[in-house]
Amino acid sequence: MSKKTTALPAIDIGISAKDRARIAKGLSHLLADSYTLYLMTHNFHWNVTGPQFNSLHNMFMAQYTEQWNALDPIAERIRALGFPAPGTYKEYVKLASIQEVEGVPSADEMVRHLVVAQETTARTARKLFAVVSEANDQPTADLLTQRLDVHEKTAWMLRSLLAA
């Protein structure tokens, strides 16, 4: 009895293999930043203290929940482009632009760290637009636009907490 092996058909979605690879690489960086931001936000949710506890605890929960739900679409877009999505802490540490926070900062410092992390993630998404536009990749452009909207709005809201 012989086994018949059939090769998978090549991906032909109208985006070259080279462009798909460049986009997947950029999305991998966005996924790493997004996961790192998710983890930071969840950590702060668990560990926030002080007079703003209740409002920050609830705000952080809404933020980390939104971020958790954003991870799948990013990873699945990488897969749709024909590449494996990174999925380990080791890979995320190499790919992420966000610095981890050691210890338990004060509530105000948590907010400051999250402003920086939200804006960093927005910059990571924005950097990819040139490649995506050149490749005529509307689904990735749509994903990036949605993520930018969330990160910029969240950074603004967090920054507003620090205003005198």
Side-chain angles (χ1 to χ4, degrees):
M1 186 189 232
S2 68
K3 290 185 180 179
K4 186 175 181 180
T5 310
T6 342
L8 290 174
I11 295 173
D12 184 13
I13 59 173
I15 302 172
S16 72
K18 181 181 173 186
D19 284 343
R20 285 187 294 105
R22 291 172 55 205
I23 294 165
K25 181 179 179 184
L27 286 171
S28 293
H29 285 277
L30 179 60
L31 182 60
D33 277 355
S34 298
Y35 194 90
T36 304
L37 176 57
Y38 157 77
L39 194 58
M40 179 188 294
T41 308
H42 209 153
N43 174 30
F44 291 169
H45 164 80
W46 290 328
N47 291 300
V48 68
T49 59
Q52 299 178 74
F53 168 80
N54 196 49
S55 60
L56 290 178
H57 184 76
N58 290 329
M59 177 188 276
F60 294 163
M61 182 168 61
Q63 290 173 3
Y64 79 68
T65 300
E66 190 285 328
Q67 299 220 266
W68 178 257
N69 290 325
L71 297 173
D72 240 30
I74 299 168
E76 289 175 356
R77 184 64 191 151
I78 295 168
R79 295 297 298 134
L81 292 168
F83 296 88
T88 66
Y89 292 120
K90 186 176 182 176
E91 289 174 294
Y92 292 152
V93 167
K94 282 192 258 182
L95 294 167
S97 313
I98 297 171
Q99 299 298 309
E100 287 187 313
V101 177
E102 293 186 22
V104 179
S106 69
D108 279 354
E109 283 304 307
M110 288 178 177
V111 172
R112 287 179 200 286
H113 285 296
L114 288 172
V115 167
V116 170
Q118 289 283 349
E119 290 177 348
T120 299
T121 307
R123 287 191 307 274
T124 299
R126 184 167 273 109
K127 275 192 265 187
L128 191 49
F129 263 109
V131 176
V132 167
S133 179
E134 184 182 309
N136 201 26
D137 181 0
Q138 293 87 357
T140 301
D142 183 50
L143 175 66
L144 294 173
T145 300
Q146 290 175 41
R147 298 314 308 149
L148 278 168
D149 184 50
V150 169
H151 294 300
E152 290 176 0
K153 188 175 188 177
T154 303
W156 156 64
M157 290 181 175
L158 288 164
R159 190 182 296 282
S160 295
L161 292 171
L162 300 171

